[in-house]
Amino acid sequence: MSLLPRKPPSIPLLNPLRSSHIPAPPTTSLCPASQPKPKQNLLPLICRRSISAYGYTQSKALLYSTHGEPSSVLSLHTHSLSPPSGPTVTLRFLASPINPADVNQIQGSYPAVPEKTTLLGTPSPSAVGGNEGVAEVVGVGGGVKTLQKGDWVIMRRTGMGTWRTHMQVEEKELVKIEDKTGLTPIQVGTVSVNPCTAYRMLKDFANWEWNGMEWFVQNGANSGVGRAAIQLGKEWGLKSINVIRKREGWETLRDELIEMGATKVITEDEILGKEFSGMVKEWTNGGREPIRLGLNCVGGKSATSAAKVLAPGAHLVTYGAMSKKPVELPTGLLIFKGIHFDGFWVSKWSDRNPVEKKQTVDDVLRMTKEGRFKDIPVMECKWDRETKEDTLKDAVQGTLEGFRAGKGVFVFGDT
């Protein structure tokens, strides 16, 4: 029997295996004031939606008409949705993450921004925040073919606006979760960005031999993408060197990442030190185990140091710039080692490759259900019918604050 690690499927499985529920890790409340009060009505949430006698659904959306800081430009807008007709469906959101890119869009500093319109009845053209999330189908038009009430869906493309309680959209704009058994809304709602980014970078930028003796190196290893890369690397038999910041309690974080599947965890100080190349040589059996890929979300000297230990012909893929410093390209790495320097933007990739996106999502969720892919730490902000505008705005603004215990996520209750 072969002892080699499992090679990732060239076409990920489309029918996730049924499995028992995998409990989510403990979460932190992002906005304690919004905790829902106990309710006496035990009917399902869908039965308690605000629906008028004429079938109209009341929706609330966190939107903006001008660019600036979230606390200044976001507002909570209430509007009504008519009953769905033709190919349209009505959705009730379950969970919507607050990603840094979402905040950058609001600030006007992101390369892609959603179109502003007055379709929701706003005085000025506006856009709803958020690009990622999971929703439940609560109404279908007569022309809908593949969806029915109770199905879970994610957005097929970016810029659709997921920070809202309800939404009406055409069926073709959605990706159905084929089997939601054993999955939580947070697990599904956070799958489209970080896990997909890690999955595609690991799979698309290196010529792996899948022999269990190959490495990748990454900075920002505690990020959502970094944690996903560690777990996927372990699943596929790839060894990893992971760089984290040396802040208070970093040893605990190091142990957590190693338990998750990281081979080596070092600090930013160590990757910039003179001993780093010697450490790498020892770990890689004198360089006979090649480092075929580097993942960079920091930039600056950290990226340069990672590039210097790559094997000839390897790729350094940049997907972020947390330090706000440019990536410096040593001439020798380009001429003599043939190192490739690439960029990856999951939003553009997803929009251009909808079929591959669905395959990637399905494969990650399959591993999640089987207990081989763990959730990222999150900070929940409960969004109920009575949640105030300031609570939601504070949750978004808080994303800009330094180190946090987890990713912010709007978790919808009785809306």
Side-chain angles (χ1 to χ4, degrees), residues 132 154 186-196 360-361 364-365:
E132 187 182 23
I154 60 175
I186 289 179
Q187 289 170 333
V188 179
T190 57
V191 73
S192 299
V193 176
N194 293 335
C196 284
T360 302
V361 166
V364 172
L365 293 181

Side-chain angles (χ1 to χ4, degrees), residues 111-232:
V113 293
E115 180 184 2
K116 297 183 181 67
T117 73
T118 57
L119 293 178
L120 299 185
T122 54
S124 304
S126 302
V128 179
N131 290 279
E132 187 182 23
V134 60
E136 178 186 14
V137 176
V138 296
V140 296
V144 174
K145 305 297 183 183
T146 63
L147 297 173
Q148 60 184 358
K149 290 182 180 180
D151 285 343
W152 285 10
V153 295
I154 60 175
M155 308 301 107
R156 184 171 295 276
R157 58 181 176 83
T158 56
M160 294 177 64
T162 57
W163 295 350
R164 56 175 115 195
T165 60
H166 300 80
M167 178 185 189
Q168 199 164 87
V169 66
E170 290 192 13
E171 174 186 24
K172 65 181 180 179
E173 298 287 355
L174 303 169
V175 175
K176 179 182 176 181
I177 302 303
E178 298 295 344
D179 184 4
K180 62 187 180 184
T181 307
L183 295 170
T184 69
I186 289 179
Q187 289 170 333
V188 179
T190 57
V191 73
S192 299
V193 176
N194 293 335
C196 284
T197 297
Y199 191 111
R200 299 321 313 183
M201 290 193 300
L202 285 176
K203 196 173 180 191
D204 297 343
F205 287 93
N207 295 318
W208 304 108
E209 295 182 4
W210 309 110
N211 58 16
M213 296 183 291
E214 300 167 295
W215 295 70
F216 68 91
V217 57
Q218 65 168 342
N219 52 34
N222 186 41
S223 66
V225 173
R227 286 171 174 259
I230 288 171
Q231 296 181 81
L232 292 171

Side-chain angles (χ1 to χ4, degrees), residues 160-347:
M160 294 177 64
T162 57
W163 295 350
R164 56 175 115 195
T165 60
H166 300 80
M167 178 185 189
Q168 199 164 87
V169 66
E170 290 192 13
E171 174 186 24
K172 65 181 180 179
E173 298 287 355
L174 303 169
V175 175
K176 179 182 176 181
I177 302 303
E178 298 295 344
D179 184 4
K180 62 187 180 184
T181 307
L183 295 170
T184 69
I186 289 179
Q187 289 170 333
V188 179
T190 57
V191 73
S192 299
V193 176
N194 293 335
C196 284
T197 297
Y199 191 111
R200 299 321 313 183
M201 290 193 300
L202 285 176
K203 196 173 180 191
D204 297 343
F205 287 93
N207 295 318
W208 304 108
E209 295 182 4
W210 309 110
N211 58 16
M213 296 183 291
E214 300 167 295
W215 295 70
F216 68 91
V217 57
Q218 65 168 342
N219 52 34
N222 186 41
S223 66
V225 173
R227 286 171 174 259
I230 288 171
Q231 296 181 81
L232 292 171
K234 178 184 178 182
E235 174 74 9
W236 297 339
L238 302 175
K239 300 179 181 182
S240 60
I241 301 171
N242 303 273
V243 186
I244 60 175
R245 295 179 185 177
K246 190 174 183 179
R247 55 166 58 94
E248 184 178 354
W250 74 272
E251 297 94 341
T252 301
L253 174 58
R254 175 197 60 198
D255 295 343
E256 179 186 349
L257 297 182
I258 290 176
E259 182 180 358
M260 188 176 290
T263 311
K264 301 293 180 181
V265 179
I266 61 174
T267 66
E268 284 281 357
D269 293 338
E270 289 177 299
I271 195 176
L272 299 178
K274 296 180 180 179
E275 298 82 11
F276 178 58
S277 60
M279 295 162 59
V280 170
K281 188 174 182 179
E282 178 182 349
W283 296 336
T284 60
N285 193 19
R288 287 183 286 275
E289 297 180 7
I291 303 177
R292 300 195 186 278
L293 182 67
L295 306 180
N296 167 50
C297 67
V298 176
K301 294 180 179 180
S302 175
T304 305
S305 295
K308 288 180 178 179
V309 299
L310 295 176
H315 291 250
L316 180 75
V317 184
T318 294
Y319 65 98
M322 293 171 56
S323 71
K324 298 183 180 180
K325 295 179 181 179
V327 177
E328 299 179 1
L329 311 181
T331 304
L333 298 184
L334 294 167
I335 298 175
F336 304 116
K337 293 186 69 175
I339 302 299
H340 303 268
F341 292 86
D342 309 279
F344 183 75
W345 186 13
V346 73
S347 297

